[in-house]
Amino acid sequence: AARETSKKFKSKDQNFESLVDEIQKDVDSLREQYDSDLLCDSDEKLALMLSLDAAFVVEVLRCLEPGPIWSAFGEFFYSRFPRPLRKSIIQDFMLLENQIPIVLLNKVIRMQCDSDAEAEVVVGSLVTKAAIEVLPFSKLSPDII
């Protein structure tokens, strides 16, 4: 996930370490977003763990988005699993996704976009597509995205 995420960064000067550094700057405020204390040896290790988790979540969300940004995981995901199994996998994934602050997803996607506004639109689209995939009786339609 880290490699796939890094490939999509807009600036060629940025790499996965750039994301870790960016998250490490905000690690204290990120700790406050969790109910319990995050047991981790150092802020650097916590930033690395959060970066990897956020990159994974973004890549899984991107697998719901066929098109020009189609991820390698998405191609595997759609070609190997029938819809009922995909739905079950995504529902389990939502449990993990719920543990990652949206601020982190924004940081990952912001490094892949030209502006904050564009990143917000992308995050909103990805979350909406995940809701359409997961919610059994959703009134959302793929056509509205």
Side-chain angles (χ1 to χ4, degrees), residues 8 58-79 83 86 125-126 129-130 132-133 142 145:
K8 297 179 185 99
V58 167
E59 284 305 307
V60 171
L61 288 174
R62 290 238 190 243
C63 84
L64 302 173
E65 179 185 53
I69 309 176
W70 185 259
S71 71
F73 179 74
E75 189 173 330
F76 175 81
F77 184 74
Y78 276 100
S79 67
R83 180 159 169 77
R86 284 197 319 258
S125 173
L126 292 174
K129 288 176 184 180
I132 289 169
E133 185 77 20
I145 300 174

Side-chain angles (χ1 to χ4, degrees), residues 59-132:
E59 284 305 307
V60 171
L61 288 174
R62 290 238 190 243
C63 84
L64 302 173
E65 179 185 53
I69 309 176
W70 185 259
S71 71
F73 179 74
E75 189 173 330
F76 175 81
F77 184 74
Y78 276 100
S79 67
R80 301 288 195 280
F81 303 113
R83 180 159 169 77
L85 185 54
R86 284 197 319 258
K87 187 173 181 114
S88 178
I89 291 168
I90 294 297
Q91 285 172 334
D92 287 346
F93 162 76
M94 294 305 280
L95 297 173
L96 169 64
E97 186 274 333
N98 237 357
Q99 303 301 313
I100 305 297
I102 196 132
V103 172
L104 289 177
L105 302 182
N106 278 331
K107 282 188 182 292
V108 172
I109 291 177
R110 175 60 184 100
M111 294 178 83
Q112 299 172 353
C113 296
D114 292 323
S115 68
D116 289 339
E118 181 185 353
E120 287 180 17
V121 169
V122 171
V123 170
S125 173
L126 292 174
V127 170
T128 302
K129 288 176 184 180
I132 289 169

Side-chain angles (χ1 to χ4, degrees), residues 47-62:
L48 176 61
M49 180 185 71
L50 291 173
S51 299
L52 288 168
D53 288 348
F56 175 73
V57 168
V58 167
E59 284 305 307
V60 171
L61 288 174
R62 290 238 190 243

